[in-house]
Amino acid sequence: MKRALVCGAGGFIGGHLVERLKNEGYWVRGVDIKAHEYRETAADEFMLLDLREAENCRRALTLGRNETFDEVYQLAADMGGMGFIHSAECEIMHNSVLINVHMTHTAAELGVPRYFFSSSVCVYPDMKLGDPEMSEDQAIPAHPDNEYGWEKLYSERVALAYSRRYPMKVRVARFQNCYGPYGTWTGGREKAPAAICRKVAEAEDGGTIPVWGDGTAVRSYTYVDDMVDGVLRLMHSDLEGPVNIGNPEYVTVKELVETVVAVAGKRVNVEWVKGPVGVQSRNFSNARIYTTGWRARYPLIEGIKRTYPWIEQQVKAARAARPV
Ligand code: NAD
């Protein structure tokens, strides 16, 4: 039985990845600084550890005498949507760098054979609609629009440097915006699809919701099952260097809102308000991940149909729990 370590297992994608690895027959240890907020972990073992500490990375990575994990998935990060990314630059640059420097170094020292790192398409610069697709190597010379992107770029390079020095195969995915159930939906760290689902779920029929920007920014969103599928395909491939993983269905933020409203079956008006919108557009190539046979299977509407009911249920439960 293969043994896997998932760092960030108390988080959104990490929680889904643990479930998928268990379904594939792995023995899984999950590690996070906190327990999952929305679900029981599917991991065989769960350790609460602050991975900014080198010693805790060693504890997470240590099995029995002279034994190592077959696969390590590093998804732990100080992470959130655009609001968080723009207000927590120092936390991102400090905490996520420490996690990645210590995890990569310790995994290499302990002889881990395969190491996965979750980067982001935030490493790419702001683009205009219709600009040609960027391939992975075009991220350099670099000009990410936020510190989160710079941290990812640096941590990618840390992992790739260790793969050149040690016999550790490193796989680096650049995730596009990912959404689905069991992800942060409130509190300031939620990303746009979850925030919009929450606002629509909270709105009265015929009500108005505020949304940042003017609705013209272009995005694409990957449903979490597709993302996890891409992670496993990449991990087991021989693709070296960073690999983009994303749904090629591009929509405006206005279209995202319209999709959520249609799934909710409500009449909702939008007030476009000033806020940290992020880039206007990003357009990157999926050619490398396609060589593994991976394709996004969930169009936005199908993913939202699986996400909105879960967030609506969370909104109702939170309302019911509020003191009158
Ligand atoms: P998430 O915030 O739900 O999960 C990250 C987890 O890391 C959290 O559970 C958090 O508690 C944990 N963590 C933070 N600091 C820690 C520490 N010091 N020690 C141990 N654990 C710690 O985020 P997610 O959406 O599941 O993202 C997973 C990974 O994918 C992250 O690296 C993120 O940057 C990357 N990514 C996500 C998206 C997306 O759209 N969700 C897009 C691009 C990249």
Side-chain angles (χ1 to χ4, degrees), residues 100-145:
N100 287 315
V101 164
H102 291 316
M103 273 305 299
T104 315
H105 178 82
T106 315
E109 265 197 346
L110 292 178
V112 166
R114 251 171 213 270
Y115 185 90
F116 173 88
F117 172 58
S118 53
S119 182
S120 164
V121 295
C122 282
V123 301
Y124 295 110
D126 195 354
M127 296 173 76
K128 286 198 256 350
L129 192 58
D131 279 355
E133 282 184 344
M134 288 185 97
S135 61
E136 286 82 352
D137 55 354
Q138 288 176 312
I140 308 283
H143 190 42
D145 82 310

Side-chain angles (χ1 to χ4, degrees), residues 8 10-14 32-34 49-52 75-79 99 118-120 148 152 175-178 191:
F12 168 48
I13 305 174
D32 203 293
I33 200 169
K34 62 160 180 64
L49 291 172
D50 182 345
L51 296 173
R52 290 171 299 182
L75 287 89
D78 212 349
M79 159 72 187
I99 294 170
S118 53
S119 182
S120 164
Y148 173 74
K152 289 293 190 195
F175 292 168
Q176 192 187 47
N177 298 299
C178 181
K191 307 193 93 189

